[in-house]
Amino acid sequence: MTAPLTPPHQPPHDSQWPAPYPAQGEPDGAPSTGTELRQAAVVAAVSGVAGTLLGLLWLWLAPRVTLISDGKAVFLRNSEGEAAIGMDGTFVLLALGFGAVAAALVFLVHRHGGIALVLGLALGGVLGSLVAWGTGVWLGPDRDVVAHAKAVGPNVDFQAPLELNMAAAAMLAWPIAAMIVHLALTALFGPRDPEPEDEAWPPLPST
């Protein structure tokens, strides 16, 4: 006797039995892991370059602390001024705006982006903030306050260098804004994974 071609634990091939479900592939247009990593590197690099623009805007818009010297010591021109707080606030507001715009642009260009792009946005935000900080400080007033005071002479107002009193918090404004905006856009307008269609199995044929 020959063994049956159809194992006993499997139903015989019959037209009443539907074909197996096809394997679910990736959504159309979804990039590979290598492509995502390259895209994330580009996003981080572009964010770093954009940090130069943030630094220039901070230098232009931030309020200035005015100092004065009597020839022996340097004093605040207005001891009750809030310009120092305004420096931090201006930087944070600009960084939040840059983070939101960066996230929106990345979402529009790479709608199928995954976790690699989000990490690229975060790292790029920190890099851009550091570049902005360095740009504003480097192009701003002289950081050597004593030498600056001697150069302008006594009883002459001059500007203090740009500073961030809450530098750690300011560095996080851009990446946090970028991740929140990107997450919101992905949740609202991002592509949806295809759901398998429900298909009922027909009843077994009666014997």
Side-chain angles (χ1 to χ4, degrees):
M1 297 179 62
T2 59
L5 297 178
T6 304
H9 61 277
Q10 293 184 358
H13 179 72
D14 189 86
S15 59
Q16 295 181 353
W17 290 87
Y21 291 120
Q24 296 292 334
E26 294 184 353
D28 294 339
S32 63
T33 302
T35 301
E36 278 197 6
L37 292 176
R38 287 191 295 270
Q39 292 172 349
V42 172
V43 168
V46 172
S47 297
V49 174
T52 305
L53 177 59
L54 172 57
L56 294 175
L57 288 175
W58 179 46
L59 178 63
W60 178 37
L61 298 175
R64 304 301 175 86
V65 175
T66 304
L67 304 177
I68 191 170
S69 170
D70 61 357
K72 297 181 181 180
V74 178
F75 304 93
L76 288 171
R77 182 65 172 174
N78 183 7
S79 59
E80 297 181 357
E82 298 180 353
I85 300 176
M87 287 185 185
D88 287 42
T90 302
F91 188 96
V92 169
L93 290 177
L94 289 172
L96 290 174
F98 269 68
V101 172
L105 291 176
V106 168
F107 177 78
L108 291 176
V109 176
H110 306 295
R111 190 175 293 265
H112 289 276
I115 187 63
L117 275 178
V118 177
L119 292 177
L121 276 172
L123 294 176
V126 175
L127 177 61
S129 298
L130 290 172
V131 171
W133 186 13
T135 300
V137 170
W138 181 48
L139 297 178
D142 191 356
R143 293 188 59 80
D144 191 340
V145 176
V146 175
H148 197 177
K150 291 180 179 179
V152 299
N155 301 319
V156 177
D157 295 348
F158 64 97
Q159 293 179 347
L162 285 179
E163 293 181 350
L164 285 177
N165 298 311
M166 297 183 295
M171 294 300 104
L172 295 177
W174 182 332
I176 289 177
M179 288 189 293
I180 291 176
V181 172
H182 190 272
L183 178 62
L185 291 175
T186 302
L188 293 174
F189 307 108
R192 300 292 187 267
D193 293 333
E195 298 181 358
E197 298 179 358
D198 294 333
E199 185 174 353
W201 291 88
L204 293 175
S206 59
T207 56

